[in-house]
Amino acid sequence: MLSLEHSKEMEKILSLLKNYISGKKIAKEMGISRTSVYRKIEKLRNMGYEIESKKGVGYKLISKPDIPYPHEIKPKTKIIGKNIFYFKNLSSTNEFARKMVQKGAKEGTVIIAEEQTEGRGRKGRKWFSPPGGLWFSIILYPSLPPEKGGLLMMASSVSIVDSLADIGINAGIKWPNDILIGKKKVCGILMEMEASLNKINFAIAGIGINVYNKLHPSLENASTLQKFINKKISRISLIKSILEKFDENYQKLLEGDYESIGKKWISLSLTIGKELEIKEGNIEIKGKAIGIDENGFLLVKSREKIHRIMSGDVIIK
Ligand code: BTN
């Protein structure tokens, strides 16, 4: 496990390695022994950093891996991502986040895993999470009334779509919160919340983005971001941008500016204005999506009435 707190030393050594530098000099600059310099260089190499060593000259950093290590992300935010934890392997970042909540984790803590062995999707489904994607969870303690919980999801999806637009990928949101390019799902959000009568106790925003990972062969409607763009995507820049945009949108929500999130969500929605079929348990509704209400519920006009829908699986006709 790697966290921002533990990475100060790593950052220091990486910055020294920008130009050729001798082991002796690194040791002096960092106040450590030459053996521990050697050990640290080896550790960085094992983490994927390419470090050249030239006899009599020293070491130099040649390339960095595109791995979302906390010290590489460092988002410029007020609340989100002040604390980031990176794991090579976890059962599920949402599950781990829950444990951290119980231990009193700070608001905005982000948990990232390179790979999840038991990634969770909505409705108890599995979420295939091999290396090369972005699988992460954000811990929130929003002082929002429980009925506004849906807007938190909207703030996440809007932030992701905006970040994708910044790298030239045109995506949209299928209600409730699937991010699609064309008809292919590239990202899913699992918002887990615990609330009492008038207060959200905590929320965990679990975000799964297929970046350049393998896809499960059974998923016909899924794709990866990399398939839609020619240049190599940087997972580091992408998650940084998402955390920064989410930080802004989250603050808007906390300030009570629900409307701008709702409006933005509608502008990116692939669902509004479409004829749909929605299934939730045994209930099936057919109608036209005409908007969302003040809490982010979908408004669907069937022949009989207008339904306010909180969750369900949507088939767009
Ligand atoms: C969906 O069903 O569309 C939601 C998928 C959410 C997957 C993410 S990956 C990171 C986080 N940890 C999990 O176990 N699930 C979410």
Side-chain angles (χ1 to χ4, degrees):
M1 187 265 287
L2 270 177
S3 82
L4 261 181
E5 281 166 36
H6 300 126
S7 50
K8 293 253 163 0
E9 235 183 12
M10 207 129 42
E11 274 179 87
K12 171 102 200 223
I13 190 163
L14 284 169
S15 75
L16 291 172
L17 288 169
K18 279 191 183 130
N19 299 305
Y20 272 109
I21 180 167
S22 70
K24 194 175 164 192
K25 207 159 175 207
I26 300 175
K28 196 171 164 225
E29 291 269 347
M30 300 195 46
I32 55 176
S33 71
R34 287 192 61 179
T35 334
S36 55
V37 169
Y38 182 74
R39 262 196 237 116
K40 286 188 196 308
I41 299 264
E42 275 314 293
K43 186 174 175 205
L44 285 170
R45 283 180 173 148
N46 285 332
M47 286 168 68
Y49 290 87
E50 193 188 340
I51 298 165
E52 198 175 72
S53 48
K54 256 193 200 164
K55 257 215 156 103
V57 187
Y59 300 101
K60 187 180 186 235
L61 177 65
I62 305 295
S63 70
K64 290 179 172 192
D66 182 36
I67 301 177
Y69 293 130
H71 60 275
E72 297 290 354
I73 306 173
K74 287 188 103 184
K76 294 189 186 65
T77 52
K78 284 208 178 116
I79 307 173
I80 308 298
K82 292 283 166 212
N83 235 335
I84 302 181
F85 296 87
Y86 170 87
F87 295 83
K88 246 185 141 162
N89 193 292
L90 269 185
S91 55
S92 149
T93 56
N94 268 36
E95 189 187 309
F96 193 83
R98 252 174 205 272
K99 289 189 186 137
M100 289 192 77
V101 166
Q102 276 152 18
K103 290 192 180 142
K106 275 204 205 128
E107 172 153 67
T109 298
V110 176
I111 297 111
I112 308 170
E114 183 63 46
E115 187 177 5
Q116 297 183 119
T117 46
E118 280 165 60
R120 304 206 283 243
R122 289 198 309 120
K123 297 180 179 285
R125 292 175 190 134
K126 287 207 166 106
W127 182 263
F128 186 58
S129 326
L134 274 175
W135 326 121
F136 63 104
S137 303
I138 310 172
I139 295 176
L140 305 165
Y141 304 109
S143 46
L144 287 173
E147 66 272 17
K148 299 288 178 203
L151 291 171
L152 273 180
M153 279 230 279
M154 293 186 162
S156 333
S157 54
V158 157
S159 310
I160 298 165
V161 173
D162 267 354
S163 295
L164 293 179
D166 284 353
I167 56 167
I169 296 178
N170 188 6
I173 309 165
K174 180 180 161 206
W175 193 86
N177 263 304
D178 290 348
I179 296 181
L180 268 57
I181 305 177
K183 290 204 161 136
K184 300 279 188 185
K185 177 162 167 176
V186 290
C187 166
I189 302 170
L190 176 68
M191 187 66 77
E192 294 185 304
M193 237 181 312
E194 204 183 272
S196 43
L197 210 55
N198 49 13
K199 191 174 154 270
I200 297 176
N201 298 328
F202 68 82
I204 295 168
I207 297 173
I209 310 177
N210 294 321
V211 185
Y212 44 74
N213 50 287
K214 285 203 179 114
L215 292 168
H216 198 279
S218 69
L219 298 173
E220 282 166 20
N221 294 325
S223 192
T224 61
L225 297 179
Q226 195 58 75
K227 295 209 168 123
F228 293 90
I229 190 164
N230 284 330
K231 63 173 191 284
K232 174 91 197 273
I233 295 176
S234 158
R235 290 188 299 166
I236 297 173
S237 320
L238 182 60
I239 189 171
K240 179 178 168 138
S241 159
I242 293 170
L243 297 179
E244 288 174 352
K245 289 192 199 296
F246 183 65
D247 189 67
E248 277 177 32
N249 289 323
Y250 184 55
Q251 274 165 68
K252 278 191 193 160
L253 281 187
L254 296 185
E255 284 159 13
D257 181 6
Y258 309 132
E259 212 184 317
S260 72
I261 303 292
K263 272 193 183 150
K264 180 82 199 193
W265 188 91
I266 288 175
S267 76
L268 301 172
S269 165
L270 302 168
T271 309
I272 307 295
K274 302 269 167 64
E275 294 290 337
L276 315 169
E277 215 176 280
I278 299 184
K279 283 189 189 141
E280 173 72 334
N282 295 330
I283 302 165
E284 204 179 303
I285 295 165
K286 282 185 190 163
K288 185 176 181 174
I290 54 167
I292 53 168
D293 75 359
E294 67 285 3
N295 296 329
F297 289 18
L298 188 68
L299 300 174
V300 176
K301 190 168 188 269
S302 69
R303 253 188 261 158
E304 301 85 38
K305 63 173 198 170
I306 294 177
H307 305 257
R308 276 156 48 100
I309 300 177
M310 197 167 62
S311 71
D313 281 326
V314 169
I315 301 169
I316 300 179
K317 295 266 141 188

